[in-house]
Amino acid sequence: MLLITSIFILLSIFLQAVTAQDWYTVEWDATEFVSMSGDMIVPDLPTPGGTPYVWPGVQSGDGVLQAVLDGSSGVWWIGDGFYGTPSLPWGNGFNVSPGETVHFTFTSSGTTWTCTLSSGSQSASTTLDITGNTMNRAIFAVELYDVDFNFGPITYKNIEITATTAASGWCGSIPHLGTYPYTVTGNVASGNTCTVSQIVQSSAD
C-alpha cells in the first residue's frame, strides 16, 4: 500500500509539472464593459515546446471572451472565442507572423458579442450569444503552459475600452498578475471610455 501511495504522489507531482501555468497580465475592472478595441503587434515566437497564449479580452465571473494568439503549433494563429459557461464553438481566425499588426474589436449588443480581427488582407468575424455573463474585467494576458516568458515584447496600441460607468472611476487603476516589466502609457478617461496609447508587456526572464 505504501508503494502504491508513493507512486500516486509522484505521478501527481509529474502531472502538475507538465501542466505548469504562468500568468502575466494588465487589467482594468469596472461594473460592466461593453466594448474594447486596439492593435496588437505580433511578438516573436518563444522557444519551441509548451503552449503560449497571448490575448486581449473581456472577462466575467463565468468565462472570458478573447482574441487568442496561439503559438502551440510553432507558428502564431489568432482567433476569437469564449471560454467558460455557456460552452460555445470557437470562432474564426488566421495565421500571423511576428511584426505584423492585428486590429481587434469586441462589441456588445445585449448578450450578443461581435468580434472582429484584421491584419493586412486577412480578416475574420465571429458573433457569439453569451448569456448570463457581465463582463467586468478588461484584460491583456500572457498565459503560458510549460514555456518561459522569454519572448516579446508584446505591444498593444490605440486601445479603447468602454464601460457602462464613467471611465474616471476605473481608467487610472491598473491591477496586474505576475512579476515582470510592463508599461501602460497615455491612459485617458473621457465619458465612459478609457483610451490607452500603448501597453508593453516585456519578457519576465
Side-chain angles (χ1 to χ4, degrees):
M1 178 63 75
L2 180 60
L3 177 60
I4 294 173
T5 302
S6 299
I7 291 172
F8 177 77
I9 292 171
L10 289 172
L11 180 60
S12 298
I13 293 171
F14 173 76
L15 289 174
Q16 290 174 9
V18 299
T19 58
Q21 181 181 15
D22 292 306
W23 287 90
Y24 304 91
T25 71
V26 171
E27 306 172 9
W28 282 266
D29 293 326
T31 302
E32 181 178 7
F33 290 107
V34 294
S35 69
M36 184 167 76
S37 64
D39 298 315
M40 173 200 286
I41 300 175
V42 179
D44 290 335
L45 281 157
T47 304
T51 302
Y53 298 128
V54 176
W55 50 269
V58 287
Q59 181 175 314
S60 73
D62 292 318
V64 58
L65 177 63
Q66 49 193 168
V68 178
L69 189 64
D70 180 349
S72 58
S73 67
V75 297
W76 286 122
W77 180 90
I78 191 166
D80 287 312
F82 178 78
Y83 181 79
T85 303
S87 178
L88 299 171
W90 202 257
N92 302 309
F94 46 81
N95 289 334
V96 288
S97 299
E100 294 181 344
T101 298
V102 179
H103 183 68
F104 63 88
T105 70
F106 305 101
T107 307
S108 66
S109 176
T111 62
T112 300
W113 283 83
T114 300
C115 317
T116 68
L117 297 166
S118 60
S119 180
S121 62
Q122 301 187 98
S123 64
S125 179
T126 301
T127 300
L128 299 167
D129 185 11
I130 309 174
T131 58
N133 282 260
T134 299
M135 304 301 183
N136 55 15
R137 174 164 293 168
I139 181 168
F140 296 80
V142 182
E143 179 184 355
L144 304 176
Y145 297 83
D146 300 314
V147 61
D148 292 331
F149 190 6
N150 58 7
F151 60 99
I154 298 151
T155 302
Y156 298 91
K157 295 183 177 182
N158 308 314
I159 302 139
E160 291 189 357
I161 311 168
T162 301
T164 57
T165 52
S168 57
W170 51 267
C171 184
S173 178
I174 310 170
H176 74 281
L177 291 177
T179 302
Y180 74 110
Y182 70 91
T183 59
V184 177
T185 55
N187 50 314
V188 177
S190 177
N192 290 359
T193 298
C194 178
T195 301
V196 184
S197 297
Q198 182 170 272
I199 299 169
V200 178
Q201 296 171 289
S202 298
S203 166
D205 290 351

